[in-house]
Amino acid sequence: MAATVVCSSGNVEVVCQSVRVTSAKKAPVCVLGTGLIGGSLLRAAVGAGYDGWGYNRSAVGAQAARADGFDVTEDLPAALRRAAETDALIVVAVPMPAVDHMLSAIADYAPECALTDVVSVKGPVAAAVREHGLAERYVGGHPMAGTSESGWAATDPTLFRDAVWAVGVDQGTRVDPWSRVVRLALDCGSVVVPVVAAEHDRAVARISHLPHVLAEALALAGATGGELALGLAAGSFRDGTRVAGTAPDLVRAICEPNSAALLEVLDETLTVLGAARDSLRDKQSLADLVEAGHDARQRYESARRWEITDIRPGDRDWLEELRAAGERGGVITRLN
């Protein structure tokens, strides 16, 4: 079946011509960790026709998933043995501090399975994957979606609809696991941005991890103003501090593994803020910051991505070509 659709993510739109939806049998999916992202992925995958099951460390979380009709166990070896028996795609969906434990279990029970993750930083995950001897079947992934809520109760099968999903194209990536990861992302409703781990981590430091840090600082500034300040707070404060409502342990797990890239952009931002402070003190003016910030926002709102159509996975230099296309704003909306 073919259709013409518009895929949007925030203020980014892509016109996708002749999107093809096939009825080919889909490989099973095993999701390790059924919190907000992993649980939403399991819901979306099952809704898209995948045979999917999951593991969750918390018995309460696993029971909640089962009560909603999803196959989630607290027995990690059992979930992985099933993955090995069915050649499932394994999705690691736990915070970075728990990744090593998951990879150790995968190496023991399902080392031949295709492997991906949805962790918010890619370099440290890839390094851990290599340490456990699983790199040959690994493809990094990161859906750019979420809320400030957590746990199975917050899961939503539409969470990834119209979202951007980063998928790794690092050297050594193999076609089969890469295609399976891309197909899963597309079937969950996302568009795919091909990117290498180091460039991904530098980018998300700017557009994801720094906003977490700034939201925490803004929330603290408001609260320090006492009941009057909080009583007067409205839309800009609410929107600017939204992600400060995320559980502190989760924020640390998101931001701290990307410390090198985050420190670089924090220093850059502190320099910008310092210049604005000096201008306000000396000239009573915020013109430079406000005008530059406004222009930057307009650039974001006017951004348009284009569909990658002429690069075939497996061809010579396909990984480098996809990396370059993603860097220029290209997205994948279908998998031939």
Side-chain angles (χ1 to χ4, degrees):
M1 179 177 66
T4 299
V5 299
V6 174
C7 309
S8 64
S9 177
N11 296 297
V12 177
E13 293 185 349
V14 186
V15 177
C16 314
Q17 298 290 337
S18 299
V19 176
R20 297 195 177 277
V21 181
T22 69
S23 58
K25 182 175 176 57
K26 298 170 181 177
V29 175
C30 172
V31 182
L32 306 182
T34 55
L36 171 66
I37 302 300
S40 295
L41 192 157
L42 181 60
R43 283 183 178 272
V46 170
Y50 287 80
D51 178 18
W53 63 93
Y55 157 80
N56 199 67
R57 180 177 62 86
S58 164
V60 173
Q63 290 166 3
R66 290 195 295 269
D68 284 344
F70 291 87
D71 188 355
V72 177
T73 180
E74 304 99 291
D75 188 337
L76 179 57
L80 290 174
R81 289 191 191 101
R82 181 176 172 185
E85 291 167 359
T86 58
D87 190 30
L89 170 62
I90 298 174
V91 182
V92 176
V94 296
M96 188 64 211
V99 165
D100 191 71
H101 174 65
M102 291 295 107
L103 295 178
S104 179
I106 293 167
D108 286 341
Y109 296 103
E112 300 303 317
C113 283
L115 174 64
T116 189
D117 72 289
V118 291
V119 181
S120 65
V121 63
K122 300 272 65 76
V125 176
V129 166
R130 289 192 295 271
E131 289 175 4
H132 287 277
L134 299 169
E136 188 172 297
R137 300 286 289 162
Y138 170 72
V139 178
H142 181 202
M144 303 302 297
T147 72
S148 60
E149 304 299 321
S150 59
W152 178 264
T155 60
D156 178 359
T158 69
L159 183 65
F160 310 111
R161 189 173 297 166
D162 301 334
V164 169
W165 197 307
V167 175
V169 287
D170 296 83
Q171 288 302 310
T173 298
R174 300 179 66 179
V175 173
D176 177 65
W178 182 86
S179 298
R180 292 174 69 170
V181 173
V182 170
R183 187 173 300 281
L184 175 63
L186 297 177
D187 286 341
C188 287
S190 297
V191 297
V192 168
V193 172
V195 63
V196 298
E199 292 173 3
H200 167 277
D201 291 354
R202 287 193 292 269
V204 296
R206 293 179 176 276
I207 53 84
S208 177
H209 303 165
L210 178 65
H212 273 286
V213 175
L214 296 179
E216 306 291 355
L218 180 57
L220 181 60
T224 302
E227 297 304 317
L228 176 60
L230 295 177
L232 293 172
S236 60
F237 182 81
R238 180 191 63 242
D239 296 343
T241 60
R242 180 184 64 81
V243 294
T246 306
D249 287 348
L250 183 55
V251 174
R252 293 185 61 191
I254 290 170
C255 296
E256 291 175 354
N258 201 23
S259 59
L262 181 53
L263 281 169
E264 182 178 341
V265 71
L266 266 174
D267 284 342
E268 179 183 308
T269 303
L270 288 171
T271 298
V272 170
L273 290 174
R277 175 204 59 207
D278 293 345
S279 178
L280 184 62
R281 180 192 59 215
D282 300 338
K283 304 176 183 177
Q284 293 75 55
S285 174
L286 290 173
D288 289 347
L289 175 62
V290 171
E291 290 171 8
H294 181 268
D295 289 346
R297 174 69 190 196
Q298 292 298 110
R299 181 178 173 187
Y300 166 67
E301 291 185 352
S302 64
R304 292 293 181 268
R305 293 188 178 273
W306 52 275
E307 184 181 8
I308 301 170
T309 59
D310 57 350
I311 301 172
R312 293 178 58 86
D315 284 355
R316 182 180 178 182
D317 297 329
W318 69 284
L319 292 169
E320 177 57 28
E321 290 177 2
L322 283 174
R323 182 207 65 77
E327 191 175 50
R328 298 195 311 273
V331 297
I332 298 168
T333 63
R334 57 179 172 172
L335 187 62
N336 295 324

